[in-house]
Amino acid sequence: MLTRQERTPIIPEEEQATKYQIIVNEDWCKGCGFCYSFCPREVLEKSTRFNSKGYYPPEAVNIDRCVGCGLCEALCPDFAIHVEEKKAKIKAKKGDK
Amino acid sequence: MQKAVLTGERFTQGDIAAAEGALAAGCRFFAGYPITPATEIAERMAYRLPRIGGRYIQMEDEIASCTAVVGASYAGVKSMTATSGPGVSLMNETIGLAVMTETPMVLVNVMRGGPSTGQPTEASQSDIMQAKWGSHGDYEIIALIPSSVQEMFDLTIQAFNLSERFRVPAFVLADEIIGHMRERLVIPPEDEIEIVNRKKPTVPPEEYLPFKAEEDLVPPMATFGEGYHFYATGLTHDERGYPVMDEEAQLALVPRLCDKIRKNADKITRAENTETEDAEILLVAYGGEARTALRAVKDARANGIKIGLFRPISVWPFPKEQLKEAAANAQHVVVAELNYGQLVGEVERVIRNEVPVHLIPRVCGTPHTPDELMKEIRRRIN
Amino acid sequence: MARTEIRLGGLGGQGVIKSAVIIGEAASIHDGKEAVQTASYGPESRGSACKAEVIISDAPIDYPLVLTPHVMVALSNDAFHKYKEDLSKEAIVIIDSDLVKAGKIKAGVRLYQVPAATTAHQVLKNPLVTNVVMLGAFTAISKAVTPEAMRKAIANAFPKYKELNLRAFDEGMQLGHKAMEQSTTKK
Amino acid sequence: MDRLVVISGIGCTGRASGYFAADSYHTTHGRAIAFASGVKVANPDLKPVVISGDGDLFAIGGNHFIHAARRNVDMLVLCVNNFNYGMTGGQMGPTTPDSAITVTSPDGNIEHPFNLVSVAAASGAVFVARWTALHARRLTKSIEKALQKKGFKFIEVISPCPTLYDRYNRYGSGLDVMKKYREISVIRNFTDPMKAEIDYRTRIVCGEFVDTEKPEFTDLLAQQSDRLQKR
């Protein structure tokens, strides 16, 4: 058995903090709350400002905790959320091809 | 492997001739549901299509059959179905969809007596108006009416050609007489058969607008799987194919769907005249009944009566100009049809009140005999 | 020959329609004449009286249905009595004398009796060829089609049983000639 | 992507086909599967995906569903089940539960609903799964898996209808319903579809229930045709 100190974290916190961004198309949001209610990492929260339809869109308050699982994007009934890896990573991906 | 085009002479049924005409026109998909008196077409297609690399599918009902035909046509294969009036009643929903999404397809309706289940094994021409107005909404359609086994073959090919050319469903409106009788059918060599295929887009996918019409009011048609990634819907749509519910969209679409047939009518309509030049009595008859009429005209001419026959071969669009010409010297126009009065309305619209238009209807399941017809004509004219 | 109207009557299942198709094919494809074949279709396909008709002509055929038959071939009693009423004057009527009892018939009609069923059973050992025996008799008596054309049409119609059916046809031709020697015209 | 054809019927889910950058077609009510059958038989290289609702696929289109499944025509059918006719204003339909309130069952539905996975399995589908809208990632995996398979595949997606059905039956907001799914749904792969319970209030059995192989219709058609052409 490895002790806790010996294990390498699978997702190093410092790397994680720069990895993902959540883009919200606020005006498409109808405020259903699915995204922030079911985010497994509590990244999203209901914001305090109205969008043009009068709903409170979500905002990523803990983006450094995001693991890019995409559940918020998948659950959004209005295609208003987009989760993507940050540009540095995207570049690397393109380079792979 | 069997040949798609069975060049040569044979003694065969009208229904079989329609199936062979379809194959000669390039039809490689048939979806249908059994119904008298059109079943022989499905039976022939079930036997022939797999032997020439085509596909036959018997669907669960006529709605499914017609819808599968629309799907197959969008998948790029020339497709058809065959049925009788009760089947067309079910298919009308999808005929509207096919009109709206500008789908080339052929429907053979071997008409029988109606309404409802009616007279399955008897002859009738009572679906003339159903073909035109069966589905809801404003639209135009093409319908050709054969008078012989040979014409079942020839007109089925023409129905395919017109349907492909104008991206509109085309009917072959046969009656039970022509569908079931046997005559000589001459199938020409394959290279002598004129085939028309739908226009294909000439622009790359990113510039393609699936419902942008060209000068002839017909848009080029991409098919599924070619990389155009287009969308089509039965809703009112714009040139991109996407639903748009406003006035302008409906105004841009519906008149074009009608006008592409109305304004090209001279390329679609066809009719045949027999002894019409000096005819004082113009008889109008079509399909199986036209053969009675032809005999009646010959007999009457032998007795010195100046009578001629105008036979519409396309009923939709109706050959207005040809009728006007044929009726130039007529003092009476007589319409004989195997229904209680359908095409007579179109004839009246053309003739207006210039000379009397008489109707000789017949709804009993058999055509008039030539003598009966002449008697009816005399009764109305004197 | 202007227009010959032929009617075949029998019971559903006796090959009445098939016989009419063979006559039509012989005339239109092999004799090079014009021919139209029609049938009355009822809901039953076996056992009820049925008829099939052929019109043969040198000129294109306009009206495709039979009005006054010039030739009638009857394979059943029911059909004979049901379909004999509108025969033309001097019509030729050929009956299978094993199956049809010729009762009253119009004056002027020439009646020919052919024992087709017995011949099919006893000579050809196959009752299924009764209709082809009748086709032989029809060809010999009516002369509406040539025997050569009929033989070709029969061969096309029964590719697997060509020999048997051609023999049945030949037997029928002979019976036809015999019947002509014995024929009577109703006065 | 060039082989994908997305086809939908009419209803809340009807417009789904318009959201794809792929060949797509929006049919009349109930006919998406019949259209897809035509597409697949005419060009077997294409991969039809039908996305539609419970009313469209199982009431007006029910006959097409069972027969396409019986024939095993290669297509994926995704049914978004919201237990009522949403687009036309919340009428009862073939999946509306016993005693549920809708505008056409204002005193409680007395009809017995279809269990869709059971209908699909009994009709012959080679892949049958059920997820709720909350199981977005498992659903995605099932869709991926189903697309790899040949034959008639069916996935039911239980979905909230917060503006109509859920409101009439006092189930709360869409979020409340989604939370309810989290509470009552259980994943039981390979449960007998007949026993895959679906009770909006107490228990929704989710999972992949059927995953089997059998000859596909257009393959059989092609084999038969090849054999006949060689004659």
Side-chain angles (χ1 to χ4, degrees):
Chain A
M1 278 291 260
L2 293 173
T3 63
R4 190 175 165 78
Q5 280 74 18
E6 286 167 321
R7 279 192 293 149
T8 314
I10 294 169
I11 304 161
E13 284 290 319
E14 62 277 9
E15 204 176 301
Q16 185 52 43
T18 59
K19 229 175 161 185
Y20 297 97
Q21 55 183 338
I22 298 174
I23 300 160
V24 179
N25 186 342
E26 294 195 358
D27 286 341
W28 285 16
C29 174
K30 292 212 294 284
C32 69
F34 293 177
C35 52
Y36 53 79
S37 302
F38 299 110
C39 173
R41 305 273 298 170
E42 293 166 345
V43 174
L44 292 163
E45 252 180 36
K46 186 176 176 175
S47 71
T48 52
R49 59 181 184 283
F50 285 127
N51 69 1
S52 62
K53 290 178 184 155
Y55 297 108
Y56 298 107
E59 64 183 334
V61 291
N62 294 313
I63 189 65
D64 52 336
R65 286 180 52 81
C66 178
V67 293
C69 74
L71 186 64
C72 55
E73 181 179 323
L75 287 181
C76 177
D78 294 288
F79 303 108
I81 301 182
H82 185 58
V83 182
E84 65 175 35
E85 290 178 86
K86 278 193 169 168
K87 276 174 189 158
K89 191 70 184 172
I90 290 167
K91 263 185 190 166
K93 245 193 172 176
K94 279 184 179 163
D96 288 345
K97 279 187 182 174
Chain B
M1 185 170 163
Q2 280 187 2
K3 286 185 176 143
V5 181
L6 296 178
T7 303
E9 280 186 353
R10 66 205 63 237
F11 188 70
T12 196
Q13 258 186 336
D15 280 355
I16 305 294
E20 292 301 333
L23 298 177
C27 173
R28 293 294 178 272
F29 179 92
F30 183 100
Y33 190 79
I35 186 167
T36 304
T39 308
E40 290 86 354
I41 301 175
E43 290 170 1
R44 183 71 177 170
M45 289 305 236
Y47 169 76
R48 287 275 281 141
L49 275 170
R51 286 170 171 75
I52 61 168
R55 293 291 180 267
Y56 167 88
I57 179 170
Q58 184 167 312
M59 297 298 286
E60 51 277 7
D61 57 34
E62 283 90 347
I63 306 171
S65 304
C66 195
T67 313
V69 166
V70 178
S73 183
Y74 259 88
V77 177
K78 286 190 189 176
S79 305
M80 85 159 184
T81 186
T83 187
S84 190
V88 178
S89 291
L90 289 176
M91 290 180 180
N92 272 322
E93 171 195 307
T94 310
I95 291 168
L97 177 71
V99 167
M100 195 60 148
T101 57
E102 303 186 58
T103 313
M105 61 185 285
V106 170
L107 299 104
V108 183
N109 175 359
V110 188
M111 295 179 280
R112 65 194 226 183
S116 189
T117 314
Q119 288 183 303
T121 58
E122 301 294 343
S124 168
Q125 299 176 323
S126 50
D127 304 343
I128 304 295
M129 286 299 168
Q130 182 199 41
K132 176 69 187 76
W133 299 114
S135 196
H136 54 276
D138 282 309
Y139 65 96
E140 293 285 342
I141 206 160
I142 293 171
L144 309 178
I145 297 203
S147 264
S148 65
V149 170
Q150 185 67 44
E151 274 194 351
M152 277 294 259
F153 178 86
D154 296 342
L155 295 188
T156 303
I157 296 176
Q158 291 184 31
F160 267 99
N161 288 349
L162 291 168
S163 172
E164 291 280 321
R165 169 76 184 79
F166 294 103
R167 289 190 64 179
V168 71
F171 273 102
V172 176
L173 277 179
D175 47 57
E176 188 273 343
I177 309 165
I178 307 298
H180 273 164
M181 77 182 192
R182 289 180 179 81
E183 281 183 314
R184 179 170 49 229
L185 167 67
V186 181
I187 301 183
E190 196 171 346
D191 56 8
E192 287 174 22
I193 298 171
E194 194 202 338
I195 302 293
V196 177
N197 294 316
R198 59 192 75 169
K199 283 192 289 188
K200 301 297 295 176
T202 50
V203 295
E206 57 277 14
E207 287 169 34
Y208 177 57
L209 292 168
F211 294 94
K212 186 177 164 57
E214 295 185 337
E215 220 167 284
D216 60 357
L217 304 176
V218 182
M221 185 173 180
T223 47
F224 295 154
E226 290 177 337
Y228 284 88
H229 297 178
F230 63 96
Y231 174 72
T233 175
L235 288 165
T236 295
H237 46 270
D238 60 12
E239 292 177 340
R240 300 169 307 150
Y242 285 99
V244 181
M245 292 304 125
D246 61 21
E247 246 174 67
E248 292 95 285
Q250 182 80 348
L251 199 59
L253 181 62
V254 176
R256 180 176 67 74
L257 293 180
C258 295
D259 286 344
K260 71 176 176 181
I261 303 303
R262 289 182 193 175
K263 292 190 173 161
N264 288 309
D266 58 327
K267 300 177 189 78
I268 305 169
T269 54
R270 43 209 77 189
E272 187 186 75
N273 292 323
T274 308
E275 314 245 19
T276 50
E277 296 83 14
D278 62 340
E280 290 164 6
I281 303 166
L282 183 72
L283 183 55
V284 179
Y286 51 88
E289 179 76 355
R291 309 222 357 185
T292 302
L294 192 60
R295 173 71 175 274
V297 165
K298 281 184 201 165
D299 291 350
R301 280 274 170 183
N303 291 323
I305 302 170
K306 287 191 171 174
I307 184 169
L309 172 66
F310 177 77
R311 175 168 78 93
I313 296 172
S314 67
V315 285
W316 307 119
F318 186 70
K320 290 179 203 163
E321 298 308 319
Q322 292 96 317
L323 174 60
K324 271 184 207 161
E325 213 170 288
N329 297 315
Q331 278 132 45
H332 292 273
V333 175
V334 182
V335 182
E337 45 186 343
L338 300 184
N339 54 49
Y340 209 52
Q342 296 201 11
L343 204 64
V344 65
E346 291 304 306
V347 173
E348 282 168 348
R349 278 153 63 124
V350 173
I351 302 296
R352 296 173 184 272
N353 284 325
E354 288 167 20
V355 295
V357 175
H358 312 271
L359 168 68
I360 302 179
R362 188 166 170 107
V363 288
C364 61
T366 54
H368 290 96
T369 66
D371 287 350
E372 282 170 344
L373 185 59
M374 253 343 274
K375 222 177 279 171
E376 294 284 338
I377 293 171
R378 278 199 203 95
R379 200 161 66 84
R380 280 166 178 75
I381 285 170
N382 296 330
Chain C
M1 184 172 61
R3 177 175 165 121
T4 306
E5 299 190 348
I6 301 155
R7 173 179 294 160
L8 295 95
L11 297 174
Q14 281 184 319
V16 169
I17 292 174
K18 183 117 188 175
S19 300
V21 174
I22 290 170
I23 296 169
E25 185 189 315
S28 82
I29 305 297
H30 309 302
D31 277 343
K33 293 185 176 173
E34 300 296 330
V36 178
Q37 180 269 330
T38 54
S40 63
Y41 288 77
E44 297 165 85
S45 58
R46 291 286 178 275
S48 62
C50 74
K51 66 173 178 181
E53 295 172 332
V54 189
I55 300 167
I56 300 173
S57 173
D58 292 327
I61 296 166
D62 36 49
Y63 184 66
L65 303 179
V66 163
L67 293 164
T68 50
H70 305 103
V71 183
M72 179 163 106
V73 179
L75 286 160
S76 87
N77 222 26
D78 273 4
F80 174 73
H81 292 287
K82 199 170 167 184
Y83 301 133
K84 69 178 183 182
E85 294 309 322
D86 53 1
L87 294 175
S88 68
K89 284 177 198 165
E90 297 176 16
I92 292 170
V93 175
I94 308 165
I95 59 171
D96 184 334
S97 52
D98 298 325
L99 306 172
V100 181
K101 281 202 180 88
K104 274 189 182 171
I105 197 157
K106 271 189 187 171
V109 167
R110 281 166 290 164
L111 183 74
Y112 300 89
Q113 309 212 18
V114 178
T118 324
T119 307
H121 275 271
Q122 293 176 1
V123 180
L124 300 153
K125 314 281 181 209
N126 191 333
L128 291 176
V129 298
T130 306
N131 64 327
V132 182
V133 175
M134 285 301 274
L135 281 177
F138 159 82
T139 307
I141 297 165
S142 75
K143 299 187 176 60
V145 279
T146 63
E148 297 72 35
M150 284 299 284
R151 291 179 65 88
K152 281 183 199 161
I154 287 168
N156 279 346
F158 307 100
K160 283 186 191 160
Y161 301 99
K162 196 167 99 178
E163 300 309 322
L164 172 67
N165 282 285
L166 287 176
R167 269 205 297 134
F169 178 75
D170 292 343
E171 286 292 334
M173 285 278 288
Q174 284 181 25
L175 292 176
H177 288 302
K178 220 177 275 175
M180 285 164 81
E181 287 160 20
Q182 305 160 350
S183 89
T184 51
T185 303
K186 289 272 172 178
K187 293 265 161 71
Chain D
M1 277 296 277
D2 284 354
R3 295 167 62 208
L4 178 69
V5 183
V6 184
I7 300 149
S8 61
I10 300 288
C12 297
T13 319
R15 291 286 282 273
S17 57
Y19 302 147
F20 289 81
D23 289 333
S24 45
Y25 194 101
H26 183 196
T27 69
T28 40
H29 196 28
R31 316 301 173 211
I33 289 177
F35 184 94
S37 294
V39 168
K40 183 68 196 181
V41 175
N43 182 356
D45 289 338
L46 296 173
K47 302 281 275 178
V49 174
V50 169
I51 309 179
S52 211
D54 49 308
D56 179 277
L57 288 169
F58 288 92
I60 188 166
N63 208 24
H64 309 313
F65 181 92
I66 59 174
H67 288 283
R70 174 179 65 77
R71 294 184 191 106
N72 197 28
V73 184
D74 182 45
M75 68 176 75
L76 169 61
V77 177
L78 280 167
C79 176
V80 178
N81 180 3
N82 64 0
F83 303 97
N84 75 140
Y85 288 97
M87 184 161 270
T88 46
Q91 295 80 16
M92 56 152 264
T95 55
T96 307
D98 285 325
S99 74
I101 307 295
T102 71
V103 285
T104 50
S105 58
D107 303 300
N109 181 29
I110 53 170
E111 293 188 13
H112 304 291
F114 270 146
N115 181 341
L116 301 184
V117 291
S118 176
V119 173
S123 305
V126 294
F127 183 88
V128 179
R130 174 194 288 147
W131 299 107
T132 75
L134 182 65
H135 296 94
R137 281 179 297 172
R138 290 180 193 271
L139 170 63
T140 309
K141 288 218 171 72
S142 280
I143 291 172
E144 280 170 10
K145 195 166 167 185
L147 284 173
Q148 303 303 316
K149 278 184 76 77
K150 197 150 193 198
F152 187 91
K153 291 95 54 175
F154 176 69
I155 302 175
E156 176 183 12
V157 185
I158 309 289
S159 166
C161 177
T163 50
L164 298 164
Y165 180 77
D166 298 336
R167 188 161 56 87
Y168 299 145
N169 292 285
R170 302 179 188 283
Y171 293 148
S173 68
L175 183 56
D176 294 333
V177 174
M178 289 284 267
K179 284 179 173 165
K180 189 80 177 172
Y181 292 161
R182 184 164 61 184
E183 186 188 316
I184 64 171
S185 62
V186 293
I187 298 172
R188 296 283 183 272
N189 287 324
F190 294 104
T191 297
D192 174 356
M194 281 292 284
K195 293 172 185 151
E197 235 182 312
I198 176 162
D199 187 319
Y200 218 57
R201 288 146 295 198
T202 57
R203 184 174 153 95
I204 298 175
V205 178
C206 293
E208 292 174 357
F209 306 132
V210 175
D211 188 354
T212 177
E213 301 291 331
K214 77 178 172 187
E216 191 271 333
F217 182 68
T218 59
D219 283 345
L220 293 173
L221 273 180
Q223 284 164 25
Q224 194 174 51
S225 175
D226 289 347
R227 207 167 60 235
L228 291 166
Q229 286 179 74
K230 276 176 200 141
R231 272 192 196 168

